[in-house]
Amino acid sequence: MRAFTQHQGLVAPMDRSNVDTDMIIPKQFLKSIKRTGFGPNLFDELRYLDEGKPDQDSSQRPLNPDFVLNQPRYKGASVLLARSNFGCGSSREHAPWALDDYGFRVIIAPSFADIFYNNCFKNGLLPIVLEEKIVDQLFEEAEVSEGYQLTVDLEAKTVITPSGESFGFDVDDFRRHCLLNGLDDIGVTLEDAELIKSYENQRRKTAPWLFGAGQ
Amino acid sequence: MAGKTLYDKLWDDHVVKQREDGSALIYIDRQLLHEVTSPQAFEGLRLANRKPWRIDANLATPDHNVPTTDRAKGIEGIVDPVSRIQVETLGKNCDEFGILEFKIMDQRQGIVHVIGPEQGATLPGMTIVCGDSHTSTHGAFGCLAHGIGTSEVEHVLATQCLVQQKMKNMLVKVNGTLGKGVTAKDVVLAIIGKIGTAGGTGHAIEFGGEAIQNMSMEGRMTVCNMAIEAGARVGMVAVDGTTIDYVKGRPFAPTGEAWDAAVKYWRTLHSDLDAKFDKIVELDGSEIMPQVSWGTSPEMVADVTGNVPDPAKEEDPIKREGIERALKYMGLEANQAITDIKLDRVFIGSCTNSRIEDLREAAAVVKGRKVSASLKQAMVVPGSGLVKAQAEEEGLDRIFLEAGLEWRDPGCSMCLAMNADKLGQGEHCASTSNRNFEGRQGFGGRTHLVSPAMAAAAAITGHFVDVRELLN
């Protein structure tokens, strides 16, 4: 996995709560058996005026000029500023894959849906929870000043504004450790293979019905 | 020391290692696999030259992409080549690694969350995961079950474990007795309407109280299925006699001495009387009415006797804007009566409501009646090949067909429209599924979430109607 230590990038404010994973990447694009190539279809139904289809050249499609990512000032944004309950709905990891493929590295919101939040960390994408009033402030600043950038430091767990104001955020230690070092967490778990085997052997004795019954 | 909740017990029984950083390695007893969220996981295994840790913990079936007609043609019957490749890929992966798969022509094929319980592959006390957020369904059996992303599907395949942070405990208690015509679906929609789509975020919800205890296993599955729509990855119900009776005799269920030992353990799977919950919400079941969602989020629900809300009356500006946007997308007017919403299609199916009791409930309403001529389509999609066979044995298929509903083959179908079953732009659908998000059932489609009985009633009248009027 790609490591994440520090990132500075242009902020795109998406002023809408309860953005669900169907909105982030509609179902017709989930038919791919790959992990890449979802970027052109990120927010497909909001971004384009027509109905998107898999394997289509999206550069030729009519854009919705009202959608935030279609505004020239947000071109190249890598920090998504969002509202509460971002990523609710389906468990599809295609949602973080699409955000990543588009070029986002950080998502800041007052709250995230659990499965989406977890999926981000598996893909080198950092979801940051900040208090609602701080998020409100960042929305205001991003909207008034064109080219507004934020700097995110995962080591220090801070978000720094262009004026130098710094906001701390929480992230659990294991996820932070994996992200900072770009670790393959399957590899980390397999370091405990002997423990898993001994747990399993114990369970085979105490709960034999969990193993192979009926198959 | 306070007693343990059901969630505490399930968690404690599956901790392989507690790490100092607060995370824990949790053992997974069962993984269910389907074609949409597994191909990249298998590919990851191959690229890292890893093998599945425990083959017999996995069970697979294609469900999201399968057609609900022309099934005699098997995989060849999948017209969309991209969908076909996904279903074929699941087959190849399962064959390569020796994982049991109920393939498209197998009578046991169906929606993963229907076939797990049906086969007894879902047993009380298990940890169950699947690359699908509606895995919370299995919590109805006193399981710790939740959806995961594809990286975690790969992680479970490779290690039989997940790295988890313990969630908080939440109790949703539904007291009293449900009224006539009020079902498990109405209960869960009313719960989501009350606590909101983020009301359970960060929590494992246990559903309890008299109304839940009196529900059948299928009703409990409907409730737990939609825990994720309240933001909770996990929904659970304590094990009782209803649970044990349901499991007994199923193909994967233990027998003989193992059964007796299992039942003894399963009987302990309930929250202790002095267990402490971080959050408790109570509802009076006798006050719950048949529910209809009017908006684009499952919390946007109203009683069938009620009206579409007026955004002008909402004080919170973010909520007001949300209501305005939803009404615009749904093509509805503020204050419009729910029963004035006209429908284009009716869909009875999905992992929420496609089991035999759901079909019986719908059939009881349409029996001897005719689908409204104003509808373009009304379809019934059973949750599995075995549910379909059971329904046909009971003659439910004939009741549906005579009333003018289509009787289809099993799969996820129009719940998320990955196969050919979808809504056209602007069409209103009474749907027994779980999500009314924009575009969920088709580009520009307008979904109204309801119970099977309410969907059946709407099929007869062509608009929403209080099903209790048709039951009298």
Side-chain angles (χ1 to χ4, degrees), chain A residues 16 22 27 30-31 34 93 114 118 174 184 189 199-200 210 212 215, chain B residues 13 27 40 50 54 56 80 86 150-152 155 202 418 438-439:
Chain A
R16 178 170 182 147
D22 279 83
K27 69 262 170 189
L30 310 188
K31 296 180 185 184
K34 300 192 205 112
E93 200 162 313
D114 289 344
N118 193 36
F174 179 72
D184 159 23
T189 297
Y199 171 89
E200 212 167 46
L210 295 173
Q215 291 177 46
Chain B
D13 280 350
Y27 189 83
Q40 298 88 349
R50 288 175 176 137
R54 212 189 109 202
D56 73 352
D80 179 351
Q86 215 167 39
T150 299
S151 294
E152 289 191 323
H155 196 285
M418 275 189 80
E438 290 183 19

PDB file of all heavy atoms in Angstrom, chain A residues 16 22 27 30-31 34 93 114 118 174 184 189 199-200 210 212 215, chain B residues 13 27 40 50 54 56 80 86 150-152 155 202 418 438-439:
ATOM      1  N   ARG A  16     -22.776  18.857   1.021  1.00  0.00           N
ATOM      2  CA  ARG A  16     -23.939  17.972   0.998  1.00  0.00           C
ATOM      3  C   ARG A  16     -23.718  16.878   2.044  1.00  0.00           C
ATOM      4  O   ARG A  16     -22.651  16.260   2.059  1.00  0.00           O
ATOM      5  CB  ARG A  16     -24.005  17.371  -0.406  1.00  0.00           C
ATOM      6  CG  ARG A  16     -25.097  16.400  -0.636  1.00  0.00           C
ATOM      7  CD  ARG A  16     -25.170  16.102  -2.133  1.00  0.00           C
ATOM      8  NE  ARG A  16     -26.256  15.198  -2.376  1.00  0.00           N
ATOM      9  CZ  ARG A  16     -27.007  15.197  -3.478  1.00  0.00           C
ATOM     10  NH1 ARG A  16     -26.765  16.031  -4.446  1.00  0.00           N
ATOM     11  NH2 ARG A  16     -27.984  14.344  -3.620  1.00  0.00           N
ATOM     12  N   ASP A  22     -23.410   4.845  -3.321  1.00  0.00           N
ATOM     13  CA  ASP A  22     -24.033   4.767  -4.653  1.00  0.00           C
ATOM     14  C   ASP A  22     -23.767   6.061  -5.418  1.00  0.00           C
ATOM     15  O   ASP A  22     -23.627   6.056  -6.645  1.00  0.00           O
ATOM     16  CB  ASP A  22     -25.551   4.563  -4.555  1.00  0.00           C
ATOM     17  CG  ASP A  22     -25.949   3.115  -4.306  1.00  0.00           C
ATOM     18  OD1 ASP A  22     -25.922   2.697  -3.143  1.00  0.00           O
ATOM     19  OD2 ASP A  22     -26.263   2.412  -5.283  1.00  0.00           O
ATOM     20  N   LYS A  27     -23.648   1.770  -9.330  1.00  0.00           N
ATOM     21  CA  LYS A  27     -23.485   0.310  -9.444  1.00  0.00           C
ATOM     22  C   LYS A  27     -23.007  -0.207 -10.783  1.00  0.00           C
ATOM     23  O   LYS A  27     -22.351  -1.238 -10.831  1.00  0.00           O
ATOM     24  CB  LYS A  27     -24.787  -0.392  -9.096  1.00  0.00           C
ATOM     25  CG  LYS A  27     -25.897  -0.183 -10.124  1.00  0.00           C
ATOM     26  CD  LYS A  27     -26.803   0.872  -9.712  1.00  0.00           C
ATOM     27  CE  LYS A  27     -27.781   1.302 -10.737  1.00  0.00           C
ATOM     28  NZ  LYS A  27     -28.477   2.499 -10.245  1.00  0.00           N
ATOM     29  N   LEU A  30     -19.479  -1.185 -10.885  1.00  0.00           N
ATOM     30  CA  LEU A  30     -18.955  -2.196  -9.959  1.00  0.00           C
ATOM     31  C   LEU A  30     -18.721  -3.523 -10.660  1.00  0.00           C
ATOM     32  O   LEU A  30     -18.334  -4.501 -10.044  1.00  0.00           O
ATOM     33  CB  LEU A  30     -19.925  -2.443  -8.798  1.00  0.00           C
ATOM     34  CG  LEU A  30     -20.469  -1.246  -8.033  1.00  0.00           C
ATOM     35  CD1 LEU A  30     -21.233  -1.722  -6.818  1.00  0.00           C
ATOM     36  CD2 LEU A  30     -19.364  -0.317  -7.620  1.00  0.00           C
ATOM     37  N   LYS A  31     -19.018  -3.554 -11.941  1.00  0.00           N
ATOM     38  CA  LYS A  31     -18.884  -4.826 -12.659  1.00  0.00           C
ATOM     39  C   LYS A  31     -17.444  -5.106 -13.043  1.00  0.00           C
ATOM     40  O   LYS A  31     -17.129  -6.183 -13.525  1.00  0.00           O
ATOM     41  CB  LYS A  31     -19.773  -4.800 -13.903  1.00  0.00           C
ATOM     42  CG  LYS A  31     -21.249  -4.695 -13.541  1.00  0.00           C
ATOM     43  CD  LYS A  31     -22.131  -4.666 -14.762  1.00  0.00           C
ATOM     44  CE  LYS A  31     -23.571  -4.441 -14.344  1.00  0.00           C
ATOM     45  NZ  LYS A  31     -24.496  -4.486 -15.472  1.00  0.00           N
ATOM     46  N   LYS A  34     -11.345  -5.182 -11.723  1.00  0.00           N
ATOM     47  CA  LYS A  34     -10.071  -4.532 -11.371  1.00  0.00           C
ATOM     48  C   LYS A  34     -10.276  -3.527 -10.228  1.00  0.00           C
ATOM     49  O   LYS A  34     -11.388  -3.172  -9.881  1.00  0.00           O
ATOM     50  CB  LYS A  34      -9.534  -3.773 -12.584  1.00  0.00           C
ATOM     51  CG  LYS A  34      -9.273  -4.646 -13.789  1.00  0.00           C
ATOM     52  CD  LYS A  34      -8.480  -3.853 -14.827  1.00  0.00           C
ATOM     53  CE  LYS A  34      -8.698  -4.393 -16.214  1.00  0.00           C
ATOM     54  NZ  LYS A  34      -9.443  -3.458 -17.066  1.00  0.00           N
ATOM     55  N   GLU A  93     -15.803  -1.142  -1.865  1.00  0.00           N
ATOM     56  CA  GLU A  93     -14.503  -0.486  -1.749  1.00  0.00           C
ATOM     57  C   GLU A  93     -14.207   0.303  -3.019  1.00  0.00           C
ATOM     58  O   GLU A  93     -13.253   1.074  -3.093  1.00  0.00           O
ATOM     59  CB  GLU A  93     -13.412  -1.528  -1.476  1.00  0.00           C
ATOM     60  CG  GLU A  93     -12.156  -0.933  -0.876  1.00  0.00           C
ATOM     61  CD  GLU A  93     -11.275  -1.963  -0.209  1.00  0.00           C
ATOM     62  OE1 GLU A  93     -11.807  -2.794   0.561  1.00  0.00           O
ATOM     63  OE2 GLU A  93     -10.061  -1.974  -0.459  1.00  0.00           O
ATOM     64  N   ASP A 114     -19.065   3.972   9.001  1.00  0.00           N
ATOM     65  CA  ASP A 114     -18.007   3.087   9.511  1.00  0.00           C
ATOM     66  C   ASP A 114     -17.261   2.297   8.437  1.00  0.00           C
ATOM     67  O   ASP A 114     -16.038   2.208   8.452  1.00  0.00           O
ATOM     68  CB  ASP A 114     -18.609   2.075  10.505  1.00  0.00           C
ATOM     69  CG  ASP A 114     -19.032   2.730  11.813  1.00  0.00           C
ATOM     70  OD1 ASP A 114     -18.604   3.864  12.068  1.00  0.00           O
ATOM     71  OD2 ASP A 114     -19.787   2.095  12.576  1.00  0.00           O
ATOM     72  N   ASN A 118     -13.254   2.749   7.237  1.00  0.00           N
ATOM     73  CA  ASN A 118     -12.295   1.655   7.322  1.00  0.00           C
ATOM     74  C   ASN A 118     -11.664   1.335   5.967  1.00  0.00           C
ATOM     75  O   ASN A 118     -10.456   1.127   5.859  1.00  0.00           O
ATOM     76  CB  ASN A 118     -13.050   0.443   7.868  1.00  0.00           C
ATOM     77  CG  ASN A 118     -12.119  -0.648   8.306  1.00  0.00           C
ATOM     78  OD1 ASN A 118     -11.051  -0.383   8.833  1.00  0.00           O
ATOM     79  ND2 ASN A 118     -12.512  -1.876   8.055  1.00  0.00           N
ATOM     80  N   PHE A 174      -3.097   1.860  15.286  1.00  0.00           N
ATOM     81  CA  PHE A 174      -2.741   0.797  14.340  1.00  0.00           C
ATOM     82  C   PHE A 174      -2.920   1.266  12.897  1.00  0.00           C
ATOM     83  O   PHE A 174      -2.055   1.075  12.043  1.00  0.00           O
ATOM     84  CB  PHE A 174      -3.584  -0.463  14.602  1.00  0.00           C
ATOM     85  CG  PHE A 174      -3.277  -1.578  13.634  1.00  0.00           C
ATOM     86  CD1 PHE A 174      -2.080  -2.281  13.725  1.00  0.00           C
ATOM     87  CD2 PHE A 174      -4.169  -1.901  12.623  1.00  0.00           C
ATOM     88  CE1 PHE A 174      -1.787  -3.300  12.814  1.00  0.00           C
ATOM     89  CE2 PHE A 174      -3.878  -2.915  11.715  1.00  0.00           C
ATOM     90  CZ  PHE A 174      -2.688  -3.617  11.815  1.00  0.00           C
ATOM     91  N   ASP A 184       1.393  -3.678   4.440  1.00  0.00           N
ATOM     92  CA  ASP A 184       0.410  -4.658   3.987  1.00  0.00           C
ATOM     93  C   ASP A 184      -0.123  -5.298   5.264  1.00  0.00           C
ATOM     94  O   ASP A 184       0.595  -6.039   5.950  1.00  0.00           O
ATOM     95  CB  ASP A 184       1.140  -5.673   3.103  1.00  0.00           C
ATOM     96  CG  ASP A 184       0.408  -6.985   2.979  1.00  0.00           C
ATOM     97  OD1 ASP A 184      -0.812  -7.009   3.191  1.00  0.00           O
ATOM     98  OD2 ASP A 184       1.070  -7.996   2.671  1.00  0.00           O
ATOM     99  N   THR A 189      -0.807  -9.263  10.074  1.00  0.00           N
ATOM    100  CA  THR A 189      -1.616 -10.284  10.755  1.00  0.00           C
ATOM    101  C   THR A 189      -0.937 -11.649  10.712  1.00  0.00           C
ATOM    102  O   THR A 189      -0.946 -12.390  11.697  1.00  0.00           O
ATOM    103  CB  THR A 189      -3.017 -10.354  10.111  1.00  0.00           C
ATOM    104  OG1 THR A 189      -3.657  -9.096  10.295  1.00  0.00           O
ATOM    105  CG2 THR A 189      -3.864 -11.449  10.734  1.00  0.00           C
ATOM    106  N   TYR A 199      -5.675 -20.515  18.530  1.00  0.00           N
ATOM    107  CA  TYR A 199      -7.076 -20.158  18.790  1.00  0.00           C
ATOM    108  C   TYR A 199      -7.995 -21.158  18.076  1.00  0.00           C
ATOM    109  O   TYR A 199      -8.949 -21.685  18.650  1.00  0.00           O
ATOM    110  CB  TYR A 199      -7.374 -18.730  18.296  1.00  0.00           C
ATOM    111  CG  TYR A 199      -8.851 -18.380  18.344  1.00  0.00           C
ATOM    112  CD1 TYR A 199      -9.417 -17.820  19.481  1.00  0.00           C
ATOM    113  CD2 TYR A 199      -9.693 -18.665  17.259  1.00  0.00           C
ATOM    114  CE1 TYR A 199     -10.778 -17.541  19.548  1.00  0.00           C
ATOM    115  CE2 TYR A 199     -11.043 -18.396  17.307  1.00  0.00           C
ATOM    116  CZ  TYR A 199     -11.588 -17.821  18.447  1.00  0.00           C
ATOM    117  OH  TYR A 199     -12.935 -17.562  18.502  1.00  0.00           O
ATOM    118  N   GLU A 200      -7.657 -21.406  16.821  1.00  0.00           N
ATOM    119  CA  GLU A 200      -8.471 -22.291  15.986  1.00  0.00           C
ATOM    120  C   GLU A 200      -8.517 -23.713  16.579  1.00  0.00           C
ATOM    121  O   GLU A 200      -9.581 -24.338  16.637  1.00  0.00           O
ATOM    122  CB  GLU A 200      -7.842 -22.329  14.594  1.00  0.00           C
ATOM    123  CG  GLU A 200      -8.811 -22.511  13.475  1.00  0.00           C
ATOM    124  CD  GLU A 200      -8.148 -22.216  12.134  1.00  0.00           C
ATOM    125  OE1 GLU A 200      -7.021 -22.697  11.875  1.00  0.00           O
ATOM    126  OE2 GLU A 200      -8.762 -21.481  11.340  1.00  0.00           O
ATOM    127  N   LEU A 210     -18.457 -25.521  14.352  1.00  0.00           N
ATOM    128  CA  LEU A 210     -18.079 -24.410  13.478  1.00  0.00           C
ATOM    129  C   LEU A 210     -17.139 -24.841  12.368  1.00  0.00           C
ATOM    130  O   LEU A 210     -16.795 -24.054  11.497  1.00  0.00           O
ATOM    131  CB  LEU A 210     -17.390 -23.308  14.302  1.00  0.00           C
ATOM    132  CG  LEU A 210     -18.262 -22.620  15.342  1.00  0.00           C
ATOM    133  CD1 LEU A 210     -17.423 -21.680  16.194  1.00  0.00           C
ATOM    134  CD2 LEU A 210     -19.393 -21.855  14.660  1.00  0.00           C
ATOM    135  N   GLY A 212     -16.445 -27.262   9.286  1.00  0.00           N
ATOM    136  CA  GLY A 212     -16.685 -28.267   8.255  1.00  0.00           C
ATOM    137  C   GLY A 212     -18.009 -29.005   8.309  1.00  0.00           C
ATOM    138  O   GLY A 212     -18.270 -29.845   7.461  1.00  0.00           O
ATOM    139  N   GLN A 215     -20.557 -30.046   5.095  1.00  0.00           N
ATOM    140  CA  GLN A 215     -19.965 -29.777   3.776  1.00  0.00           C
ATOM    141  C   GLN A 215     -19.366 -31.017   3.142  1.00  0.00           C
ATOM    142  O   GLN A 215     -18.999 -31.941   3.800  1.00  0.00           O
ATOM    143  CB  GLN A 215     -18.888 -28.700   3.913  1.00  0.00           C
ATOM    144  CG  GLN A 215     -19.512 -27.365   4.245  1.00  0.00           C
ATOM    145  CD  GLN A 215     -18.457 -26.293   4.453  1.00  0.00           C
ATOM    146  OE1 GLN A 215     -17.521 -26.155   3.691  1.00  0.00           O
ATOM    147  NE2 GLN A 215     -18.627 -25.542   5.508  1.00  0.00           N
TER     148      GLN A 215
ATOM    149  N   ASP B  13     -15.447 -13.938  22.753  1.00  0.00           N
ATOM    150  CA  ASP B  13     -15.236 -15.319  22.297  1.00  0.00           C
ATOM    151  C   ASP B  13     -14.410 -15.398  21.012  1.00  0.00           C
ATOM    152  O   ASP B  13     -14.030 -16.492  20.599  1.00  0.00           O
ATOM    153  CB  ASP B  13     -16.591 -16.016  22.051  1.00  0.00           C
ATOM    154  CG  ASP B  13     -17.204 -16.486  23.361  1.00  0.00           C
ATOM    155  OD1 ASP B  13     -16.507 -16.436  24.397  1.00  0.00           O
ATOM    156  OD2 ASP B  13     -18.380 -16.907  23.347  1.00  0.00           O
ATOM    157  N   TYR B  27     -11.263 -13.488  15.198  1.00  0.00           N
ATOM    158  CA  TYR B  27     -11.396 -14.668  14.332  1.00  0.00           C
ATOM    159  C   TYR B  27     -12.762 -14.655  13.632  1.00  0.00           C
ATOM    160  O   TYR B  27     -13.784 -14.356  14.246  1.00  0.00           O
ATOM    161  CB  TYR B  27     -11.255 -15.952  15.159  1.00  0.00           C
ATOM    162  CG  TYR B  27     -11.159 -17.190  14.296  1.00  0.00           C
ATOM    163  CD1 TYR B  27      -9.942 -17.578  13.732  1.00  0.00           C
ATOM    164  CD2 TYR B  27     -12.286 -17.963  14.027  1.00  0.00           C
ATOM    165  CE1 TYR B  27      -9.853 -18.699  12.920  1.00  0.00           C
ATOM    166  CE2 TYR B  27     -12.202 -19.090  13.217  1.00  0.00           C
ATOM    167  CZ  TYR B  27     -10.979 -19.461  12.661  1.00  0.00           C
ATOM    168  OH  TYR B  27     -10.896 -20.568  11.858  1.00  0.00           O
ATOM    169  N   GLN B  40     -11.296  -8.806  -6.904  1.00  0.00           N
ATOM    170  CA  GLN B  40     -10.027  -8.138  -6.594  1.00  0.00           C
ATOM    171  C   GLN B  40      -9.360  -8.771  -5.375  1.00  0.00           C
ATOM    172  O   GLN B  40      -8.136  -8.702  -5.236  1.00  0.00           O
ATOM    173  CB  GLN B  40     -10.271  -6.640  -6.350  1.00  0.00           C
ATOM    174  CG  GLN B  40     -10.845  -5.879  -7.540  1.00  0.00           C
ATOM    175  CD  GLN B  40     -12.375  -5.903  -7.596  1.00  0.00           C
ATOM    176  OE1 GLN B  40     -13.021  -6.648  -6.876  1.00  0.00           O
ATOM    177  NE2 GLN B  40     -12.940  -5.099  -8.476  1.00  0.00           N
ATOM    178  N   ARG B  50      -0.565 -16.088  -1.936  1.00  0.00           N
ATOM    179  CA  ARG B  50      -1.137 -16.602  -0.694  1.00  0.00           C
ATOM    180  C   ARG B  50      -2.290 -17.555  -0.992  1.00  0.00           C
ATOM    181  O   ARG B  50      -2.911 -17.469  -2.042  1.00  0.00           O
ATOM    182  CB  ARG B  50      -1.659 -15.440   0.164  1.00  0.00           C
ATOM    183  CG  ARG B  50      -0.548 -14.613   0.772  1.00  0.00           C
ATOM    184  CD  ARG B  50      -1.098 -13.397   1.518  1.00  0.00           C
ATOM    185  NE  ARG B  50      -0.018 -12.677   2.172  1.00  0.00           N
ATOM    186  CZ  ARG B  50       0.121 -11.349   2.181  1.00  0.00           C
ATOM    187  NH1 ARG B  50      -0.770 -10.592   1.576  1.00  0.00           N
ATOM    188  NH2 ARG B  50       1.132 -10.790   2.789  1.00  0.00           N
ATOM    189  N   ARG B  54      -8.608 -21.033   5.488  1.00  0.00           N
ATOM    190  CA  ARG B  54      -9.511 -22.146   5.838  1.00  0.00           C
ATOM    191  C   ARG B  54     -10.636 -22.210   4.819  1.00  0.00           C
ATOM    192  O   ARG B  54     -11.624 -21.480   4.900  1.00  0.00           O
ATOM    193  CB  ARG B  54     -10.077 -21.893   7.232  1.00  0.00           C
ATOM    194  CG  ARG B  54     -10.351 -23.164   8.007  1.00  0.00           C
ATOM    195  CD  ARG B  54     -11.109 -22.852   9.292  1.00  0.00           C
ATOM    196  NE  ARG B  54     -12.478 -23.318   9.166  1.00  0.00           N
ATOM    197  CZ  ARG B  54     -13.496 -22.863   9.885  1.00  0.00           C
ATOM    198  NH1 ARG B  54     -13.310 -21.915  10.779  1.00  0.00           N
ATOM    199  NH2 ARG B  54     -14.701 -23.358   9.717  1.00  0.00           N
ATOM    200  N   ASP B  56     -13.115 -24.270   4.280  1.00  0.00           N
ATOM    201  CA  ASP B  56     -14.480 -24.626   4.663  1.00  0.00           C
ATOM    202  C   ASP B  56     -15.219 -23.515   5.419  1.00  0.00           C
ATOM    203  O   ASP B  56     -16.386 -23.668   5.755  1.00  0.00           O
ATOM    204  CB  ASP B  56     -14.509 -25.943   5.451  1.00  0.00           C
ATOM    205  CG  ASP B  56     -13.965 -25.803   6.864  1.00  0.00           C
ATOM    206  OD1 ASP B  56     -13.415 -24.733   7.203  1.00  0.00           O
ATOM    207  OD2 ASP B  56     -14.083 -26.773   7.635  1.00  0.00           O
ATOM    208  N   ASP B  80     -25.433  -8.932 -20.525  1.00  0.00           N
ATOM    209  CA  ASP B  80     -24.368  -7.944 -20.381  1.00  0.00           C
ATOM    210  C   ASP B  80     -23.022  -8.667 -20.213  1.00  0.00           C
ATOM    211  O   ASP B  80     -22.817  -9.389 -19.242  1.00  0.00           O
ATOM    212  CB  ASP B  80     -24.675  -7.078 -19.145  1.00  0.00           C
ATOM    213  CG  ASP B  80     -23.613  -6.028 -18.875  1.00  0.00           C
ATOM    214  OD1 ASP B  80     -22.555  -6.068 -19.529  1.00  0.00           O
ATOM    215  OD2 ASP B  80     -23.847  -5.178 -17.994  1.00  0.00           O
ATOM    216  N   GLN B  86     -18.015 -11.136 -14.558  1.00  0.00           N
ATOM    217  CA  GLN B  86     -17.928 -11.121 -13.106  1.00  0.00           C
ATOM    218  C   GLN B  86     -18.428 -12.447 -12.496  1.00  0.00           C
ATOM    219  O   GLN B  86     -17.816 -12.986 -11.581  1.00  0.00           O
ATOM    220  CB  GLN B  86     -18.735  -9.938 -12.561  1.00  0.00           C
ATOM    221  CG  GLN B  86     -18.112  -9.338 -11.344  1.00  0.00           C
ATOM    222  CD  GLN B  86     -18.682  -7.992 -10.959  1.00  0.00           C
ATOM    223  OE1 GLN B  86     -19.881  -7.772 -11.061  1.00  0.00           O
ATOM    224  NE2 GLN B  86     -17.833  -7.110 -10.489  1.00  0.00           N
ATOM    225  N   THR B 150     -13.473  -4.940   0.070  1.00  0.00           N
ATOM    226  CA  THR B 150     -12.765  -6.004  -0.636  1.00  0.00           C
ATOM    227  C   THR B 150     -11.386  -6.297  -0.037  1.00  0.00           C
ATOM    228  O   THR B 150     -10.957  -7.450   0.000  1.00  0.00           O
ATOM    229  CB  THR B 150     -12.657  -5.631  -2.125  1.00  0.00           C
ATOM    230  OG1 THR B 150     -13.982  -5.514  -2.639  1.00  0.00           O
ATOM    231  CG2 THR B 150     -11.910  -6.678  -2.911  1.00  0.00           C
ATOM    232  N   SER B 151     -10.674  -5.264   0.440  1.00  0.00           N
ATOM    233  CA  SER B 151      -9.363  -5.530   1.070  1.00  0.00           C
ATOM    234  C   SER B 151      -9.532  -6.441   2.264  1.00  0.00           C
ATOM    235  O   SER B 151      -8.688  -7.296   2.537  1.00  0.00           O
ATOM    236  CB  SER B 151      -8.713  -4.220   1.523  1.00  0.00           C
ATOM    237  OG  SER B 151      -8.401  -3.428   0.415  1.00  0.00           O
ATOM    238  N   GLU B 152     -10.628  -6.243   3.006  1.00  0.00           N
ATOM    239  CA  GLU B 152     -10.868  -7.108   4.164  1.00  0.00           C
ATOM    240  C   GLU B 152     -11.350  -8.501   3.758  1.00  0.00           C
ATOM    241  O   GLU B 152     -11.090  -9.471   4.468  1.00  0.00           O
ATOM    242  CB  GLU B 152     -11.846  -6.440   5.132  1.00  0.00           C
ATOM    243  CG  GLU B 152     -11.174  -5.259   5.831  1.00  0.00           C
ATOM    244  CD  GLU B 152     -11.958  -4.692   6.995  1.00  0.00           C
ATOM    245  OE1 GLU B 152     -13.208  -4.651   6.922  1.00  0.00           O
ATOM    246  OE2 GLU B 152     -11.335  -4.272   7.971  1.00  0.00           O
ATOM    247  N   HIS B 155      -8.239 -10.094   3.311  1.00  0.00           N
ATOM    248  CA  HIS B 155      -7.617 -10.298   4.618  1.00  0.00           C
ATOM    249  C   HIS B 155      -8.198 -11.536   5.307  1.00  0.00           C
ATOM    250  O   HIS B 155      -7.462 -12.348   5.878  1.00  0.00           O
ATOM    251  CB  HIS B 155      -7.836  -9.044   5.473  1.00  0.00           C
ATOM    252  CG  HIS B 155      -6.950  -8.950   6.674  1.00  0.00           C
ATOM    253  ND1 HIS B 155      -7.158  -9.708   7.806  1.00  0.00           N
ATOM    254  CD2 HIS B 155      -5.858  -8.196   6.929  1.00  0.00           C
ATOM    255  CE1 HIS B 155      -6.219  -9.415   8.701  1.00  0.00           C
ATOM    256  NE2 HIS B 155      -5.420  -8.506   8.195  1.00  0.00           N
ATOM    257  N   GLY B 202     -20.838   3.715  14.669  1.00  0.00           N
ATOM    258  CA  GLY B 202     -19.879   3.405  15.737  1.00  0.00           C
ATOM    259  C   GLY B 202     -20.422   2.440  16.781  1.00  0.00           C
ATOM    260  O   GLY B 202     -19.731   2.101  17.727  1.00  0.00           O
ATOM    261  N   MET B 418     -28.169  -4.036 -10.814  1.00  0.00           N
ATOM    262  CA  MET B 418     -26.938  -4.377 -11.539  1.00  0.00           C
ATOM    263  C   MET B 418     -27.237  -5.326 -12.683  1.00  0.00           C
ATOM    264  O   MET B 418     -26.431  -5.508 -13.579  1.00  0.00           O
ATOM    265  CB  MET B 418     -25.911  -5.024 -10.608  1.00  0.00           C
ATOM    266  CG  MET B 418     -25.071  -4.004  -9.874  1.00  0.00           C
ATOM    267  SD  MET B 418     -23.696  -4.714  -8.973  1.00  0.00           S
ATOM    268  CE  MET B 418     -22.482  -4.956 -10.273  1.00  0.00           C
ATOM    269  N   GLU B 438     -30.576   8.197  -4.457  1.00  0.00           N
ATOM    270  CA  GLU B 438     -30.733   8.648  -5.854  1.00  0.00           C
ATOM    271  C   GLU B 438     -30.088   7.626  -6.798  1.00  0.00           C
ATOM    272  O   GLU B 438     -28.948   7.226  -6.597  1.00  0.00           O
ATOM    273  CB  GLU B 438     -30.040   9.998  -6.055  1.00  0.00           C
ATOM    274  CG  GLU B 438     -30.752  11.134  -5.363  1.00  0.00           C
ATOM    275  CD  GLU B 438     -30.092  12.487  -5.629  1.00  0.00           C
ATOM    276  OE1 GLU B 438     -29.322  12.604  -6.600  1.00  0.00           O
ATOM    277  OE2 GLU B 438     -30.342  13.413  -4.856  1.00  0.00           O
ATOM    278  N   GLY B 439     -30.822   7.224  -7.811  1.00  0.00           N
ATOM    279  CA  GLY B 439     -30.262   6.346  -8.835  1.00  0.00           C
ATOM    280  C   GLY B 439     -30.056   4.903  -8.427  1.00  0.00           C
ATOM    281  O   GLY B 439     -29.607   4.094  -9.222  1.00  0.00           O
TER     282      GLY B 439
END
